[in-house]
Amino acid sequence: MTERIFNFSAGPAVLPEPVLQQAQRELFALPGVGMSVLEISHRSPSFEHIIDEAEAVLRKLLGIPENYRVLFLQGGASLQFTMVPMNLLAKDRSADYILTGSWGQGALKEAKKIGTAHAAGSTAETNFNRLPKPEEIKLDPNAAYLHFTSNETIFGVEFQEEPLAVDVPLVCDMSSNFISKPIDVTKYGLIYAGAQKNAGPAGVTIVIIREDLLERAPEGLPSMLDYRNLAKSGSMYNTPPCFAIYLCGLVFKWLLNDIGGLEKIQVNNKEKAKILYDAIDDSDGYYRGHAEKDCRSLMNVTFRLPNEELEKKFIKEATAVGFDGLKGHRSVGGLRASIYNAFPKPGVVELVDFMREFERKQG
Ligand SMILES: *Cc1c(COP(=O)(O)O)cnc(C)c1O
């Protein structure tokens, strides 16, 4: 047996152990198929069953209504930064972006290459340690959509709900808190998420798009960048990332059947995050959270120590005892503990014990 350590990576990130075990069992030969999922044609009935089932279980988990299409695409969440404006931003319109971190900034930067797009609100001034209040958001009446990032993975700020009710389609980069809690899909025009944070391995991006928006795409888009074309072909215009889709399907089934759905996983996620944030708050300022309390992410817990030297020491010692991936992103510094759906609660408890012991030793 190879020992597993605690993986706090922001992405690709920890996957549920039962999913890894099932994939390992089935890798050599899918039951009843006699070939690996890595070897079968994407046009085969066996693979069609895999992708159909993945979609069906995701629909059940999120309660996705009939008038939404689910796409399994490539190019990462980053390609959606381009595809969203390409498909939804008409030449005579603009697009609004709420910026709460680097990913939103990246999305806006790409949108500006396609058409007119503005920051409708931003918390860059305080290094993205909070979310803008509704009154700080200035919408353009000519906007074709409003884009936001539900969880900013690098800074660790998360919207508890949609930023505000708007008439235009709400577009959300949900990469790092996708399927971590129930949401009302009907509030959205388009949701996208790179799988490698919460839904599966790297290589597939899930797009959920309201059907009427498919018609907004201008004529003549490159086929691979045209939602309408990708929807029409059932995400199989070309060879899809078969293995990644298969694994996402296993993760969805784990969430639905083993965990019991998104309400249940939300309870787990709140519990895990509370343990960690309580430890930060109870440390009399030794550990300092980056995000303001009411904006804290349940997925990515960002915090600092009294100085960089101690942060380096902490990371070094933590890594040595089996806590991997705790180094914060350079734009925030400090530490980041990513505790996605599949991250086990005992790992959070052990990290908190380690934090208390570290503080005591340095004391
Ligand atoms: C990781 C991440 C991305 C980038 O995803 P890729 O699949 O690497 O392109 C975009 N947005 C958010 C919120 C992320 O967490």
Side-chain angles (χ1 to χ4, degrees):
M1 269 302 267
T2 312
E3 288 273 324
R4 280 172 68 80
I5 60 171
F6 289 120
N7 176 8
F8 289 93
S9 166
V14 60
L15 286 162
E17 286 190 12
V19 165
L20 294 175
Q21 283 155 353
Q22 184 175 349
Q24 185 183 41
R25 283 196 305 276
E26 295 181 352
L27 190 69
F28 194 67
L30 280 168
V33 178
M35 295 176 279
S36 172
V37 64
L38 296 171
E39 302 167 310
I40 57 175
S41 164
H42 59 294
R43 308 279 177 205
S44 65
S46 308
F47 186 73
E48 268 177 25
H49 176 70
I50 287 172
I51 192 169
D52 289 350
E53 205 179 15
E55 177 176 338
V57 178
L58 180 63
R59 281 185 176 276
K60 203 160 168 187
L61 268 177
L62 275 171
I64 302 174
E66 291 264 309
N67 64 326
Y68 284 76
R69 298 295 300 267
V70 176
L71 309 176
F72 294 96
L73 306 182
Q74 301 188 57
S78 299
L79 186 58
Q80 296 310 309
F81 295 173
T82 303
M83 281 178 72
V84 165
M86 259 190 164
N87 283 264
L88 303 185
L89 179 49
K91 283 209 158 42
D92 56 344
R93 303 288 292 275
S94 70
D96 280 333
Y97 282 71
I98 297 175
L99 306 185
T100 52
S102 317
W103 293 116
Q105 285 180 311
L108 175 59
K109 181 173 157 223
E110 296 306 307
K112 283 181 170 170
K113 295 177 187 173
I114 306 292
T116 309
H118 318 279
S122 169
T123 51
E125 245 173 54
T126 53
N127 200 25
F128 298 118
N129 68 340
R130 65 181 187 94
L131 302 168
K133 297 179 175 54
E135 63 270 20
E136 293 175 296
I137 298 171
K138 300 276 177 287
L139 298 175
D140 182 339
N142 193 37
Y145 62 84
L146 172 64
H147 180 285
F148 77 107
T149 312
S150 52
N151 182 68
E152 275 284 355
T153 325
I154 290 173
F155 298 88
V157 289
E158 180 174 13
F159 282 93
Q160 299 311 309
E161 52 191 46
E162 295 72 26
L164 70 177
V166 285
D167 294 330
V168 296
L170 200 52
V171 174
C172 182
D173 176 358
M174 226 175 253
S175 297
S176 53
N177 67 351
F178 187 61
I179 55 175
S180 69
K181 59 182 176 188
I183 54 158
D184 179 357
V185 174
T186 64
K187 289 186 175 161
Y188 296 84
L190 188 149
I191 292 167
Y192 63 92
Q196 70 274 19
K197 313 287 162 64
N198 242 338
V204 64
T205 304
I206 293 147
V207 172
I208 302 170
I209 180 169
R210 209 175 63 213
E211 232 156 29
D212 60 289
L213 295 180
L214 293 172
E215 297 313 317
R216 288 210 187 176
E219 289 303 320
L221 281 187
S223 304
M224 283 296 291
L225 303 177
D226 183 338
Y227 289 132
R228 193 170 26 198
N229 177 54
L230 295 160
K232 201 172 73 191
S233 57
S235 306
M236 298 234 238
Y237 182 73
N238 74 329
T239 316
C242 299
F243 182 75
I245 293 168
Y246 157 79
L247 214 79
C248 285
L250 297 188
V251 171
F252 300 156
K253 279 189 249 178
W254 167 78
L255 262 175
L256 188 68
N257 302 327
D258 296 18
I259 300 296
L262 297 185
E263 267 120 22
K264 291 276 171 57
I265 201 74
Q266 184 180 31
V267 171
N268 293 358
N269 287 334
K270 280 185 175 166
E271 231 175 67
K272 288 187 296 184
K274 184 173 188 314
I275 295 170
L276 202 37
Y277 284 122
D278 280 353
I280 290 168
D281 294 341
D282 293 346
S283 72
D284 289 327
Y286 187 81
Y287 298 107
R288 284 170 295 122
H290 175 71
E292 285 186 3
K293 283 186 186 177
D294 58 347
C295 307
R296 284 171 162 177
S297 167
L298 298 189
M299 300 281 105
N300 311 99
V301 178
T302 47
F303 60 101
R304 310 282 324 237
L305 269 70
N307 59 58
E308 283 185 28
E309 210 173 307
L310 282 170
E311 287 167 348
K312 278 201 191 112
K313 193 168 191 295
F314 184 104
I315 292 161
K316 194 165 167 231
E317 291 183 13
T319 309
V321 297
F323 302 117
D324 196 71
L326 282 170
K327 191 174 185 314
H329 191 273
R330 63 188 177 284
S331 47
V332 185
L335 284 88
R336 170 175 52 177
S338 297
I339 48 172
Y340 298 114
N341 285 352
F343 191 90
K345 185 172 154 189
V348 178
V349 174
E350 285 190 34
L351 175 63
V352 163
D353 288 345
F354 178 88
M355 286 165 70
R356 296 210 171 105
E357 180 61 17
F358 185 86
E359 184 188 348
R360 197 187 56 76
K361 272 193 314 198
Q362 309 307 319

